[in-house]
Amino acid sequence: MKKKIYSLLLVSFLCLGFASAQTGKVTGNLIDGEFVEPLAFGNILVKGTTTGTTSDFDGKYELELDPGTYTLVFSFVGYNTQEISDVVITADNVTNLDVTLETNSLDTIILTASVKRNSESAVLNLQKKSVTLLDGLSAQAIKSSGAGNVAAAIKSVPGVSIEGGKYVYVRGLGDRYTKSILNGIDIPGLDPDRNTIQMDLFPTSILDNVIVLKSAAAEYPADFTGGIVNIVTKDFPTKAEYSLSLGSSYNPDMHFNESYLTSQGSNTDIFGYDDGTRNLPINRYQPIPSTSENRLLLNTLTNRFEKELAAKQEMSGMDFDMGFTLGNQYDIGDDKIGYQTSFSYKNTTTFFENRVDGAYIKDPQDTSENELLAALDSRGSEGINNIILNGMAGIAYKTQKSKFKVNVLHVQNGESTAGFFDQIISQDGTGGALEPLTKNSITYTERSITNLLLTGKHRLNSISDEKAFNFEWKLSPTFSKVMDKGHRITPLQQSDEGNSFLSPSASTLPIQLWRNLLEESWAGKVDFDKTIALFNRPAKIKFGGAYTYKFRDFSIDDYTFNIRGDQSFIADGNVDDLLDSENVWNPTSDNGTYLINIDTFNPIDAYEGEQHIGANYFSLEFNVSEKLKTVLGLRTEFFKTYYTGTRDNATIFFDRDLILDEFDFFPSANVIYSVNDDTNLRASYSRTTARPSFKEASVSQIFDPITNRLFIGNIDLVPTYINNFDLRYEYFGDNGQMFAISGFYKGFKDAIEQQFFINAPTQLTVGNLGDANVIGAEFELRHRLGFIAESLNDLKFNLNFSIIQSQLTMSDDEFEGRQASARDGETIDRERQLQGQAPFLVNFGLDYNNDDLGLQTGLFYNIQGKTLEVVGIREVPDVYTKPFNSLNFTFNKTFGEDENSSINLKITNILDSSRLSEFESFGAQNQIFTLRDPGTTFSLGYSYKF
């Protein structure tokens, strides 16, 4: 009898355990349609039952249910009740459902929608209801797109283009005017002088949402004009989530190519860092004897430097990548704790078999001659291997009224290049005294970013109080490093007989150099928001402050080599013989290659910089009437830059000198008028800024020994200030469809632009070159093709194009210089195009998405108009970036019993477009500034979730 009882109990427990394991979850965000932000402590019920839950103070909810089809009821006091039908729960799976509730001052209204229709509309809810002009990608929208990283997902946002597959441009404005932030706070990228971080670093599986803000608001930094991209990562998943992804790419022009150029590296190059093999072989302050001192020490020091100077040919491999994510959450009483981690690894191989660089100048002696003269013509091949490791780990703890989060991000990047170039160079820099050269180059750059984010969010008043009072704080230190390690550039001049020799006057001497950039950034931010009643309608006050401190240390060590006596051992052009031990100078023979004792560390090539940015803001969002809403804001920022360095190593020194000291007001106003439930009229005004980077606001000189181009900083730069005006009409239809037309105006004061030096086509700098105006119109359409046939309803047509006219009034110096160098018959206008502003931008896409089939596929086209890249001066003409026709195809299919597996196919640059920049001058044939052929890439990936 006892055995039967025990058996019955055991079976009961097993059944209970089995039943428990068969439940599923519905999770999501409850959104306040009035203020387009999380709606805390809202009610979620299964219709006809008492089963339910509430959203937490972050607007998130989670409800565990048995498998089946349900109708869920979402409600909150003062808001319309929303009923969502056809919510399907399957065993051990999570159904995501975001719901927006609208305020209602009259009787409660119950709105109904199917789960599919709600999901499709949720993508546009942020954009439709936000008083600022923005576009949003929710985690749900990103998942349905099939994109593997942010760069792939965000290209579907209107007005956004992706440069080089990783950097975001908004409204055709370049990097200077677009800003990216991570979890609401500044973070530098792998290139600290850029305003944006690489978007392909972040896998979509760790994202909560991505917001692209196109009009300013007081709580955001003032240093943007085109847009701000805010990447928000998940706190933690709703259940245990683990994923693994593998991928590979093939480019017929670049991979399995036996002409690929490479060099020997260190044992750890495959992990994105050098193991010390390329470290500086002698101390920076080591005295170097001259040959006349006849000391053996010179032989010893010369022999310490890397002897491999020639790029070697070998067959190139394919690109490959891998990644995984881990995440889970746990209940601790009524609280929750969870973690989210991710890791990704990318190994890419690029081969430009026909890399072209040039420098050209107008004939300075004869204005009747239109054709440009070559100061440099460089043609050759270059192999590039790029490694990126990206790791992120976060832990979050939630109570009923608080959330604490710690997030750590580390990005490690190593890039090795090897090249061989045939060059023709003008010794006088003006097209005369042309000499043929060969140049071998071997370079390695190691970059890293480490970012820590500590943040907390707190409800300061009772959860029963409908007028929430919230406080959020953030502290985020970031440490960046960029190190050029052992760059080896070896030029040789060619004699008429074809022999090679060193010629410092024509080709410069062989050089090995090390560049070190160390930067740290400490950013802190506090935000308060309080819901109030104004004019008997809901309103919100926001106020807070932010402070950022940045410090940079930059230095260059370079060492050059010459030959004493007979040079016959390099006559055949084999540069590896240059530092062969048998050919190194010694006191006995008094012949051979030696290390020059005067070209070592130079304080001119080093600087330190500090930036202090402090901000306070206040904004008020309120309804003037039932249909008219506005938000008024004011932000103040002070900006101080200190500089330490020297211009000439003799008379002009900067010792933590204050070179920029600005205190500015940045007002903003956004108004939205709801014509009806589906139509809005918008208007906005804001004042923003664009500030010079550390490198630009300096007297440093940074030399590119491959192209012979020299960048020289400008210590006298001042910030650019921009007044922004936007008008927009928008209509939102069913099933995620919409139409919008916008007009915008931007007025730039003291625009910062890149330009050449006078009569120096290989020397670049930046300057405040004048005031500019930008006027543009933007058209946007998202429409499903179901109106043609019902079977086409899953096929969506996306079109966004912008037409932009920019006009800069030249400074007197630039205008007079252009007049002085004008060709016969040429008329010089006082106005020209703004540097970096594209005259038009087109994004077009056909996107098919069928959830039932687990299929997403699309064809996407992007083009930007001819854009002024570098401003010419006097005899040096302007350089323009030519349009790049980008046509890409994506295909994503999920499969498996629980659709846990997916394959992803991408074809990039289907039209095989080239990236080309050219010098343009009156009556002259265009000449190449840079030319790269990226080819067409085929990528295949697989991911598995478990």
Side-chain angles (χ1 to χ4, degrees), residues 39-43 54-58 76-77 399-402 458-470:
L39 182 59
F41 312 116
N43 299 307
T54 59
S55 59
D56 65 18
F57 84 103
D58 229 8
F76 190 73
V77 176
T399 68
Q400 189 178 35
K401 294 177 61 177
S402 293
H458 313 277
R459 175 75 172 249
L460 298 182
N461 58 349
S462 171
I463 62 175
S464 61
D465 190 339
E466 297 173 15
K467 296 180 175 58
F469 187 21
N470 298 316

Side-chain angles (χ1 to χ4, degrees), residues 11 17 31 56 66 94 169 194 277 313 342 381 476 542 559 614 620 663 672-673 707 737 815 902 925 938:
V11 170
I31 301 167
D56 65 18
D66 292 327
V94 175
Y169 286 9
R194 297 185 76 105
T277 300
Q313 288 188 344
S342 71
S381 300
S476 180
K542 295 182 179 181
Y559 297 85
L620 174 62
F663 179 79
I672 178 172
Y673 178 75
T707 62
Q737 300 176 114
F815 182 61
S902 67
Q925 179 180 345
F938 302 84

Side-chain angles (χ1 to χ4, degrees), residues 95-136:
T95 300
N96 292 307
L97 180 60
D98 294 341
V99 175
T100 299
L101 298 185
E102 307 290 342
T103 57
N104 182 21
S105 57
L106 304 175
D107 295 334
T108 298
I109 298 175
I110 299 177
L111 305 174
T112 61
S114 69
V115 65
K116 184 175 181 180
R117 180 168 178 176
N118 178 80
S119 299
E120 290 165 338
S121 301
V123 177
L124 292 177
N125 267 334
L126 279 174
Q127 182 178 352
K128 180 179 179 180
K129 295 299 180 180
S130 173
V131 75
T132 55
L133 179 56
L134 59 78
D135 283 282

Side-chain angles (χ1 to χ4, degrees), residues 186-194 197 409-412 446-452 477-483 516-522 550-554 694:
D186 282 0
I187 177 173
L190 286 172
D191 182 350
D193 287 305
R194 297 185 76 105
I197 192 170
L409 169 71
H410 181 78
V411 182
Q412 186 70 42
E446 180 183 321
R447 306 178 182 94
S448 68
I449 310 168
T450 302
N451 171 258
L452 172 67
T478 303
F479 305 93
S480 305
K481 179 175 66 174
V482 181
M483 303 181 74
N516 300 298
L517 185 154
L518 301 175
E519 182 170 317
E520 60 182 87
S521 170
W522 295 80
K550 295 182 180 180
F551 174 80
R552 176 181 292 186
D553 182 6
F554 178 81
F694 278 122

Side-chain angles (χ1 to χ4, degrees), residues 37 124 146 163 235 287 415 513 593 693 782:
E37 59 185 31
L124 292 177
E163 181 70 20
D235 294 332
E415 182 178 80
L513 64 85
T593 306
S693 68
R782 306 183 205 179

Side-chain angles (χ1 to χ4, degrees), residues 8-23 64 66:
L8 184 60
L9 289 173
L10 179 60
V11 170
S12 299
F13 281 124
L14 288 174
C15 289
L16 285 171
F18 180 77
S20 175
Q22 294 304 300
T23 61
E64 188 169 345
D66 292 327

Side-chain angles (χ1 to χ4, degrees), residues 86-99:
D86 303 326
V87 180
V88 178
I89 304 298
T90 57
D92 203 32
N93 280 322
V94 175
T95 300
N96 292 307
L97 180 60
D98 294 341
V99 175

